[in-house]
Amino acid sequence: MRGIQLALALRQLSAAQSEIRKLQRIDTLTGLYRREHVAKQLQEMLDRSKARRQSLGLIAVEVDSFEEFIERYGTLEGDILLRSIAELLTTELTDHDALCGRYNESTYVVVLPNTSRRTLTATAEHLRRSVYELGIKHEKSSVAPFVTVTNGCALYAAGEEMDADLLLQRARAAVRQGQGNGHNCVQV
């Protein structure tokens, strides 16, 4: 009897530990991977791409005028917005072998293995247009009457010397450049 109780307790402990590991990787608001997990996975994917001499694309998806959205509609609506965009990313990227994650409050990252510059920018443009087509009202935006995103793209080309941090920096720099060019765009 005691052996059965011990076995049951060990199974429950194992299940609880597994759930804790999952929660450490997943952003509970969006259901996407957290920044730390994405960074680790990005480095592993980059290492695989280097070994296979393949390219690797990264899209940083930044919600335009997010703070203004929160000021106008409140935190609850902001959470709904973030979940909606996360669901869109997941749905729109099902045909790709993509990794999606939440990078910070209003930024997501999408990693596309073995992709060309053309496919990377086309995917980023498709995502940009799809977010706009959600038609989520944004009265405080100076960009458009609906929520928009600025997508920054960075590409690792086979043979380049690069690590995950540099790839992320390039994508974030592309976002800033796109925001400087008026938002609601794709920048490489």
Side-chain angles (χ1 to χ4, degrees):
M1 180 73 165
R2 191 162 165 96
I4 293 172
Q5 290 174 334
L6 180 59
L8 179 60
L10 287 173
R11 270 198 299 268
Q12 290 172 337
L13 178 61
S14 178
Q17 289 171 331
S18 179
E19 184 65 20
I20 288 169
R21 282 191 298 277
K22 178 183 175 190
L23 290 173
Q24 289 174 332
R25 293 188 317 258
I26 302 294
D27 175 67
T28 55
L29 176 64
T30 63
L32 298 178
Y33 289 114
R34 291 178 186 265
R35 178 181 183 158
E36 298 79 14
H37 183 73
V38 169
K40 180 180 178 218
Q41 290 296 104
L42 175 59
Q43 187 60 57
E44 289 176 11
M45 292 171 81
L46 184 59
D47 291 343
R48 273 195 304 276
S49 294
K50 287 178 180 182
R52 295 175 181 163
R53 302 200 45 77
Q54 296 175 338
S55 60
L56 182 75
L58 178 70
I59 305 169
V61 179
E62 176 75 31
V63 180
D64 294 326
S65 306
F66 184 68
E67 293 302 320
E68 290 81 358
F69 186 90
I70 296 294
E71 287 173 15
R72 170 63 179 91
Y73 301 102
T75 304
L76 180 60
E77 288 298 316
D79 289 350
I80 292 168
L81 168 64
L82 293 173
R83 274 195 299 275
S84 297
I85 293 174
E87 287 173 16
L88 179 135
L89 292 174
T90 303
T91 302
E92 295 297 320
L93 295 167
T94 54
D95 292 342
H96 298 275
D97 189 19
L99 171 72
C100 297
R102 186 169 177 203
Y103 186 72
N104 63 27
E105 183 182 29
S106 60
T107 305
Y108 303 89
V109 292
V110 176
V111 185
L112 297 168
N114 197 23
T115 192
S116 66
R117 182 174 300 276
R118 178 185 219 166
T119 301
L120 180 65
T121 55
T123 302
E125 176 56 29
H126 174 74
L127 294 174
R128 184 204 63 77
R129 193 173 43 255
S130 295
V131 169
Y132 184 81
E133 289 172 355
L134 286 173
I136 299 171
K137 188 185 253 188
H138 191 342
E139 295 171 353
K140 296 275 271 188
S141 173
S142 60
V143 179
F146 302 111
V147 170
T148 60
V149 293
T150 298
N151 293 344
C153 300
L155 184 71
Y156 161 76
E160 268 187 287
E161 278 302 315
M162 184 180 297
D163 64 8
D165 289 337
L166 181 57
L167 192 61
L168 276 165
Q169 286 172 17
R170 287 183 180 177
R172 297 286 294 142
V175 166
R176 287 189 298 278
Q177 186 177 1
Q179 290 171 329
N181 292 337
H183 302 286
N184 191 27
C185 64
V186 172
Q187 188 72 47
V188 181

